[in-house]
Each structure stands twice: as structure tokens, then as C-alpha cells.
Amino acid sequence: MVDEQPRDPDLELVEQARESPEGDFRAFEQIVDRHQTHVVANCRYLSKSEADAEDLAQEVFLKAFFGLRRFEGRAAFRTWLQRIKVNHCLNYLKKREGKVFVDVEAPAQQQADELQVQPQAERSASARDDRERINAVLDGLSDTLRVPLVLRDMDRLSYQEIAEALGIGLSAVKMRIKRAREEFQRRYGELERASSGAAAAESQA
């Protein structure tokens, strides 16, 4: 007996959205509800801009809506949506900075700020101060290192997929991610110790 592959939970909604009469967005609105929190959060981490994250996410969903006819179902809808988001955010970064990603081996990049969230850090952060520390560390990262780490640890892209998306070598991707994880641990620990010290001092006041 052959095990059946689990059905993509979004597929029925995608089919409904495709077949909906003009002006009926109910099925697609349910798709947005399912994915909005994740897409907004990732847009925020990729863009390093809380102000732009909502707009970027809305533009991602608009692209997805108008591209539904092209969704072939070969991959999960979430994966297809993820690719739209990644490409859209990378284009945003290139336009914003007016430059492409540089080689991390360049001397100037050797001294660049590095950081990133550990694979489970954002999801395991249950308190506001934890999320604030994560955001503070992430916001200190240059695009060159923040972006590949977010793609790996939040979007779960493979190293090869990241290399292709950024147009850099596989070894460079692995090196950036390794350095960023190490720096994230160091910086996050410093912030955590500083916060604990401040709380202790306040309790003794």
C-alpha cells in the first residue's frame, strides 16, 4: 500500500479563489489570514524596516493574487508564496541601497557588523523583551549578512537556493551564515546580561 502524500491545506482555498466570480475575494482573504503574520514578520526582518514591512507584505499578496493562475501546485503554496516574498524583498533592498550584495571576503566587509537570529530564537521568544533584543540585534546587521541568515533560519531555504537568490557562491553563503550566527549569540548574550544587570540594580534601588 502506497502512502498518500498529505494534501496542501492551502490548495482548496487556491482553487476556490481561482474559481471565484470577479469581485469575490473571500477565499483569497482566507489565504492572507493564514499567512499574513509570517509574511509580515519576514518582510520586517529582510527589510530591516517596521514601517515598510506591512506595505511589502501587501505587495507580496497582490503579486500572489494576480499570479494564482500560474501556480501549478508542484510545490506547496506556502513555498510558492515564499519565493514571491523573497524576490520582492530582495528587489526592495537593491532599490533602497542602490547596490548589489558585496563579497564578504572584501577587506571592508571583514569589519562589518554581523548578526542573526538562531533558527528557533524568534519563535521561542515568548516575552516582549526577548523579541526586542532579537530585533535590536537583527537591526544592527548589514544587508550582506542579515538577508542570507534570515533566508536560511526563518525561510528555511537551502544554501544553494540562497546562493542562487543572492547571486553569490555557495561557500560565501555558508561563511556568512556561520559568522552571523556566532555574532548573534555574542550580541544577544550581551544585551541579555545588560538587561539582567539593569533589572537587578532597579530591584535594589
Side-chain angles (χ1 to χ4, degrees):
M1 180 177 180
V2 179
D3 293 336
E4 293 185 359
Q5 292 294 326
R7 180 177 172 84
D8 182 352
D10 292 304
L11 192 54
E12 184 174 348
L13 288 173
V14 170
E15 292 171 352
Q16 290 177 12
R18 285 171 166 172
E19 296 170 1
S20 295
E22 185 175 353
D24 184 352
F25 305 111
R26 288 175 296 179
F28 190 76
E29 286 172 354
Q30 290 183 60
I31 293 174
V32 173
D33 288 342
R34 285 176 55 83
H35 297 281
Q36 186 168 29
T37 299
H38 179 76
V39 171
V40 171
N42 281 28
C43 286
R44 186 257 183 270
Y45 285 125
L46 284 170
S47 68
K48 200 170 65 173
S49 172
E50 186 129 15
D52 292 334
E54 291 279 356
D55 288 341
L56 286 169
Q58 183 177 9
E59 291 162 2
V60 167
F61 284 118
L62 280 173
K63 286 188 173 183
F65 177 76
F66 288 112
L68 277 181
R69 298 291 177 187
R70 297 193 300 274
F71 175 62
E72 299 178 349
R74 295 178 182 176
F77 177 81
R78 181 187 180 94
T79 302
W80 182 75
L81 181 65
Q82 178 187 74
R83 290 170 183 160
I84 295 175
K85 179 203 64 192
V86 168
N87 290 333
H88 188 66
C89 288
L90 291 181
N91 286 333
Y92 162 86
L93 289 173
K94 290 176 181 178
K95 290 177 182 177
R96 185 184 70 181
E97 299 296 338
K99 60 184 179 183
V100 297
F101 292 91
V102 297
D103 188 349
V104 75
E105 287 296 332
Q109 291 302 312
Q110 295 288 346
Q111 304 301 321
D113 287 337
E114 312 162 349
L115 60 105
Q116 165 62 349
V117 61
Q118 297 169 328
Q120 302 298 326
E122 195 276 337
R123 281 173 289 177
S124 65
S126 58
R128 179 178 298 179
D129 57 347
D130 288 334
R131 291 194 298 269
E132 289 177 349
R133 281 195 289 268
I134 290 170
N135 288 341
V137 176
L138 285 172
D139 286 349
L141 178 63
S142 64
D143 293 348
T144 301
L145 290 180
R146 186 189 72 260
V147 171
L149 264 293
V150 170
L151 295 180
R152 176 60 180 168
D153 288 346
M154 296 187 69
D155 281 323
R156 302 297 186 182
L157 268 63
S158 69
Y159 290 109
Q160 185 61 45
E161 288 172 327
I162 296 170
E164 292 172 359
L166 302 183
I168 59 178
L170 189 61
S171 60
V173 169
K174 293 179 179 179
M175 178 175 56
R176 295 181 193 194
I177 292 172
K178 179 179 182 296
R179 290 182 179 180
R181 284 175 177 160
E182 292 172 350
E183 187 65 14
F184 176 87
Q185 292 175 353
R186 182 183 69 81
R187 289 174 177 245
Y188 185 88
E190 289 176 352
L191 288 177
E192 195 170 36
R193 288 189 293 273
S195 178
S196 297
E202 184 176 340
S203 64
Q204 295 174 3

